[in-house]
Amino acid sequence: MKFDLLTILMAYLIVDAVFAIAFAVTVRRHPTLDGPREWLAACIALFAGFLGICLRGVIPDFVSIVMANSLVLAGVICVWIGIRVFFRLRRHWWLFALFVLPAAVLLGLFTTVWPSVSARQIIMSVFIIAISLCIIRDIRRQRGFALLMETNLLIGFLGAEAVIHAIRLITLIMTPAITGSYILSPEQPDRVFFILLFFTGTARLLIMVTLISARLQGELNQLATQDSLTQLPNRRLLLERLKHGIDVARRNGKQLALLMLDLDRFKAVNDSMGHAAGDELLQQVAVRIRTRLRDVDTVARLGGDEFIVLLEDIVHPEDAARVAEDIVADLSRPFQLSSANENDPESGREVKIGASIGISLHPQHSDNPELLMDQADNAMYEAKQAGRGCFAYFSEEITTVVRKRIALENRLRRAIEQQELRVFYQPQLDMINGRIIGAEALVRWQSPTEGLIPPIHFIPIAEETGLILTIGEWVLRETCRQGQRWKAAGFLPLTLAVNVSPQQFRRCDINKLVATVLAETGFPAGQLELELTESGLMENQDKAVEVLNNLRAQGIRLAIDDFGTGYSSLAYLKRFPVDVLKIDKSFIDDIPHLQDDMEITATIIAMGHTLGFKVLAEGVETQEQLDFLRKKGCDAYQGYFASKPIPAEDFAELLSAQHKNGDDLDKTINHLETTGQS
Ligand code: C2E
Ligand code: MG
Ligand code: MG
């Protein structure tokens, strides 16, 4: 079998043609690829170059030379793309010209100075260097599509190389005396060299093919589940995650929310600034939404300017609205686009858009993924109708309730900043002698418009939003400061009780906080009592024991608030180092009418004493209740019978009155009754 020059070149050509077609198809399929037009141009130039060499002698010489020279052009384009992509240049064509000229001159010089070095090899090196640069850069930036094309191109080269080496080798083996070919030169009898080239070429090819097919598979998988512009999950992947999320939520009795997001004024940007600007805007929007979410949440793009967010494992319906509000706020900040209007590059690089968000909830609205999406979509139209830049739930009641809560939350935030919170003090009295032995610090919100707002209206929302951490810290500091003032004023030592929310216990280093505040204010640790709830302690018992022990070590007293309403387990009472049990008001309310409550109260008192705790009754309102508690040996009480929670100045007055009246219980109570019940 004989292989002449033409056969070999034809083989070369076929490999390149296949590659060129594959490449062109890839480019067509992914219009968002980097510089597709340039890549295609390089491809065509490459093809034309080899065709020119192949057809030498068949077509007029000058045509084949012109075509062969397009190899140089292909190399130049590749290097240009490499540089452009590397330095992230866009649309600066003059730079291209600046680059092409010196490159062409340089290549010309190369060929003149070293005529023995074949132009093909120079071009090849230029190509490979350029592509390698691009590949390094795109691996760093994890740009799958660009990598796909670059490796394609490399395969084309290496594949062609391998085939040509194989043919050369076979030809040399079979017809050692072949002549008349400038590629298969008989003056190069170094077969080992060719054998080496053959094996390395084939090995390179095999490695590349394996790599590429693996990458391609990955690409294809990604393509099927990813939005090519933003690299976010697409509808398909979102639906899968939604289905899974619903299953998990159903099993664990949790909630999840779906937020359908539509950009306001996006169309205007797209129309006035062009699609490139629109695409860039969508990419930036995707980044902003993504950075706003937790890792467990999903944001997907459904196409156009529609994004959807899946919030798994939310606790309250309004959690979704909070995220929605944050996203709306994020997207209302101006965007800076680099691909502004082509005709007027300086115009409108900064754009402002907004977003409207529709929310559906599982299980409240549906447990069918498609239905949930439709509902979120409907809600989104509601939001748009309501004036854009806002959120709406699929059901109107939830929207109204949540909007109110969020408005309250914002007002509370402002109230904290503008120092509208106050601490009121409710006296705690000794059961035997009726003296004020301490006070519970209870927070109030002094709103300039609504007057005094009780904690029941804002503590729950503060708990949900984490604002309780700020409030709790403030109450603690304010109470210790006040206690120190009373101490300085010469009042007898008082125990001041501060409520610690489960959130505070869980999320902040309460030991450190208390130590700091005590050091700051100078209030003695032994006079500070922290009230904890059973639920807060039960969440993580081991940690609770550790925290409580540390607090105890600082000398702080610990009380269990609302005792009897939670777990009330003897096992934890034994484990937790506690000083005081506060019997919940609900047991006191019906004394002396409900036998059960009386028995429970008596039992708690007896049990508390057995375990070595002091027992305080909350919410004492009548003399009968007081008498009963006293008979059962309760140590202390607080309640409207003695005084409602009152401002610090009024409390100081009570203390002064007690000071004057000495131990005269009735006089103090009288005083409390006439002045204290504010
Ligand atoms: P709590 O800690 O159990 O406080 C006792 C509540 O019972 C207070 O309500 C008090 O005003 C009320 N109370 C006391 N005696 C009587 C009575 O004889 N009759 C009636 N009807 N009520 C009485 P308040 O001040 O509205 O506080 C409610 C809850 O808000 C508190 O329950 C506490 O859980 C929470 N809270 C108040 N201030 C703070 C605070 O600074 N931090 C935290 N984490 N929670 C606080
Ligand atoms: Mg309390
Ligand atoms: Mg209580």
Side-chain angles (χ1 to χ4, degrees), residues 440 499 531 561 582 618:
E440 176 172 5
N499 291 285
E531 291 191 6
D561 204 354
K582 295 187 73 177
E618 287 187 288

Side-chain angles (χ1 to χ4, degrees), residues 79 106 397 451 504 548 675:
V79 177
L106 214 76
E397 306 116 75
Q504 261 177 299
L548 295 187
T675 62

Side-chain angles (χ1 to χ4, degrees), residues 20 48 100 110 164 166 180 307 326 364 414 421 445 449 480 491 499 513 568 648:
V100 168
F110 257 119
I164 213 154
F307 292 84
D326 287 344
Q364 291 88 333
R414 259 200 314 277
L421 297 186
W445 174 0
T449 49
C480 291
F491 292 120
N499 291 285
L513 174 68
S568 310

Side-chain angles (χ1 to χ4, degrees), residues 426 440 443-444 455 475 499 561-562 585 618-619 621 639-640 645:
Q426 184 176 39
E440 176 172 5
V443 70
R444 300 285 181 269
V475 171
N499 291 285
D561 204 354
D562 307 338
K585 176 178 175 304
E618 287 187 288
E621 293 184 347
Y640 290 1

